[in-house]
Every structure is written in C-alpha cells, then in structure tokens.
Amino acid sequence: MKCLVTGATGLIGQALTQRLVDPIVTSRRPEGLSPMSCIQWPVTDTTPGPDDPIDVVFHLAGEPVAGSRWTQARMDAIRNSRIDGTRQLVSWMATWETTPKVLVCASAIGFYGDRGDEVLLEDSQPGSSFLADVCRDWESEAARARDLGIRVVFARIGIVLAEQGGALDKMVPPFKMGVGGPLGSGRQWMSWIHLDDVVGLLLHAAESDISGPLNTVAPQPSTNAEFSRVLAGQLRRPSFLRAPAFALRLGLGKMSDIVLASQNVLPRVAEETGYVFQQPTLEGAIQSCLSGKGGRP
Ligand SMILES: NC(=O)c1ccc[n+]([C@@H]2O[C@H](COP(=O)([O-])OP(=O)(O)OC[C@H]3O[C@@H](n4cnc5c(N)ncnc54)[C@H](OP(=O)(O)O)[C@@H]3O)[C@@H](O)[C@H]2O)c1
C-alpha cells in the first residue's frame, strides 16, 4: 500500500508514518525530513504529482486547535488551513496521472458540538459551534474527492491520549502538583482514544471498505469527573479541586469549548467493521501512556 501523508510531522502523523513503508509526506518545512520523500505544503495544481501511483492519502494537516487562545486570527487559521488545504489537496489529486483509491481525511468529534448525554453515532446530526462548523465544512471539501472516484473516509477523531504530546501533556501537570480535578460540572462526556488506536483505525479505514464518517474514539467514553478520578488515581494524587466553568471561560475564552463541550461518542462503524481496539479501557490507556517511554509519573 503506497501512501501519502499530509501533516506527517504532527502527533498522529509521526505515529502513522512509522507504520507505513516508504510513505510520501508533505510539510510546510520539508527540509530535514529525508529519507522520506517530502513535498512542499500547501500544494497547488502545478505541484508535480507523486512519481509512483498512490493507493491511500491520509490528510492530517491543520493549524493546532488546542494551545494558544482562540483569537480571530487563530480561528481563521484553524478554519482556513483545513478548508482551503483540503480543497487544494483534492484539486491537486485531480491532476495526478493515477488517482488514489482512498482519501482518509481527519475530522474531529467537535463535529457533534455540545450534546449533553446524547449518544452520538456516525449518523448523528452535526452540532452548532465554531468547531462543528469547521468539521462539517472540512468534511464537505474532502467529500468532493468522490467525484474523482475516490473512496472518502472522515475520521472523526476524539481526544488523543499519547505517551508524549496530546491531551495528557496539558492534563498531567496540574494533577502532579496536586491541584487537578474535574473541569466545570465534570458531567461532560470525554470521548478519548489512545494514539495506537488512532493509527489502527486510520489504517483500518484505508484497508476496509468504509466510506463516510468513522468515529475514531474508544468504545468507553467517560465523564470528565471519571477521567479526572482515573488520572489522579494512577498518579496517586488527589482530584478534588474543581475548576469552575466560568473561570475556564474567562481564562480560555471560546477555546473553553474544547474542555467543556459534552460529546458521548461511540465507534459504531469501527466495531461493525471488525476493528479490535488495542486500548479499549480508560484505565489501560492512561496506564500505557504514563508508563511508556515518556515516563510521566
Ligand atoms: N490530536 C488530537 O487530539 C486530535 C483530535 C481530533 C482531531 N485531530 C485532527 O487530526 C489531525 C492531526 O492531528 P495532530 O494532533 O497530529 O495534529 P498536529 O500535531 O497539530 O500536527 C498537524 C500538522 O499539520 C501541519 N500544520 C500545522 N499548522 C498548519 C497550518 N496552519 N497550515 C497547514 N498545516 C499546518 C503541521 O505540519 P508541518 O509543520 O510539517 O507542515 C503539523 O505537523 C489534525 O487535523 C487535527 O485537527 C486531532
């Protein structure tokens, strides 16, 4: 399976490319990425296509969503890097001598917005929020690849847990200092997934005949309070200091959506198509991240 990966230098892209044989990657900074073949991102219609036919394109590139405060400029970058980037990718693929068989495009559970306790499956309606709008439009751009005869999968990725990087990088320090605890009411659902399963599901999406949305989440979402309890337990620290929602909104602005929105998402398509999770439980996933090479505790 010959693959091209955009956003290959990111958290998910690095883990994915390690599982691929001689992938072609794209980057805004291609220098220093050898021995992998690297193409300058963003691509245009005049960017030469890959030398050899590509079977699968994994599209992961995009301005990071978490991190610094959502100013208008950052929100524009989050949106434009995905919508314009995906449009340009599809337009570039149309110029290739041989079109790929599959486009696996990242999306996010932000697609569903803030939905309380509602169980969210792949056919649930989109929510209404900045991220929901971005995800919906991002998927629409990717769907245009169907006109080229390409099978398209939207991997609606949940909160990624990894040894290094990802959500735990931000969550562990306050717990280690003994000031961790639930965020807001703690009742909001967190649909998490271990990085190994993100990669596993992206490969599953490429190799199966899935078409359309693929909830890329573990089968056991947890509430934020439960997540905090498990994390604190494994770090052997308390978890009673609740961060009130108003303080989070004040401190993080609109970005507080990321930690306060409730998304109870289940991986129905993954399970129906026979994917076996490597880290199905929260306890196991957190333990694997904390005891890995990163050695967080
Ligand atoms: N990690 C998560 O928890 C999570 C959850 C849901 C969805 N996702 C989605 O999955 C995809 C991959 O996630 P990730 O965590 O691996 O992302 P990441 O670590 O932030 O990496 C994304 C890559 O995109 C490129 N990039 C960054 N800013 C860009 C910009 N303004 N314009 C174009 N390209 C840019 C960078 O590659 P170069 O610098 O080499 O160009 C970067 O390595 C993203 O689209 C993300 O939204 C991730």
Side-chain angles (χ1 to χ4, degrees), residues 3 10 23 37-38 41 44 71 93 104 113 120 160 164 175 210 212-213 220 230 235 247 255:
C3 301
S37 311
C38 190
W41 185 264
T44 69
T71 58
M93 290 193 302
V104 181
L120 298 164
V160 178
Q164 279 169 336
F175 278 91
I210 296 169
Q220 292 179 16
V230 172
L235 289 169
M255 201 171 78

Side-chain angles (χ1 to χ4, degrees), residues 7-13 26-29 41 60-65 77 81-82 106-109 138 157-160:
T9 58
L11 174 71
I12 298 171
T26 72
S27 175
R28 292 165 303 164
R29 296 178 200 85
W41 185 264
L60 306 171
E63 173 80 13
V65 170
S81 61
R82 287 174 174 77
S107 179
I109 56 169
W138 187 9
I157 302 170
I159 299 163
V160 178

Side-chain angles (χ1 to χ4, degrees), residues 15-158:
L16 175 65
T17 49
Q18 282 175 18
R19 296 277 306 274
L20 302 173
V21 179
D22 295 334
I24 294 176
V25 302
T26 72
S27 175
R28 292 165 303 164
R29 296 178 200 85
E31 58 282 353
L33 281 178
S34 68
M36 289 190 284
S37 311
C38 190
I39 292 171
Q40 176 76 46
W41 185 264
V43 289
T44 69
D45 288 2
T46 56
T47 303
D51 291 337
D52 298 320
I54 296 290
D55 298 304
V56 186
V57 174
F58 294 99
H59 178 37
L60 306 171
E63 173 80 13
V65 170
S68 52
R69 208 178 158 87
W70 284 1
T71 58
Q72 189 56 51
R74 278 219 61 229
M75 289 165 73
D76 289 347
I78 289 169
R79 185 182 163 78
N80 297 341
S81 61
R82 287 174 174 77
I83 313 305
D84 299 350
T86 306
R87 182 178 305 144
Q88 200 48 58
L89 174 68
V90 173
S91 175
W92 178 51
M93 290 193 302
T95 69
W96 296 3
E97 214 162 285
T98 313
T99 45
K101 298 182 183 71
V102 195
L103 168 63
V104 181
C105 181
S107 179
I109 56 169
F111 175 90
Y112 299 111
D114 182 10
R115 303 287 276 270
D117 291 333
E118 182 183 349
V119 172
L120 298 164
L121 303 173
E122 281 85 352
D123 56 2
S124 298
Q125 292 302 303
S128 54
S129 66
F130 166 67
L131 283 183
D133 290 350
V134 169
C135 291
R136 195 196 51 227
D137 294 348
W138 187 9
E139 292 185 7
S140 300
E141 288 299 337
R144 289 150 66 106
R146 287 178 177 146
D147 297 341
L148 305 173
I150 298 171
R151 175 167 65 84
V152 182
V153 182
F154 320 118
R156 292 183 185 151
I157 302 170

Side-chain angles (χ1 to χ4, degrees), residues 157-162 191-198 201 215-218 277 279 285:
I157 302 170
I159 299 163
V160 178
L161 306 183
S191 294
W192 55 273
I193 180 163
H194 191 283
L195 181 59
D196 289 350
D197 280 315
V198 179
L201 274 168
N215 286 342
T216 306
V217 294
F277 282 87
Q279 295 290 349

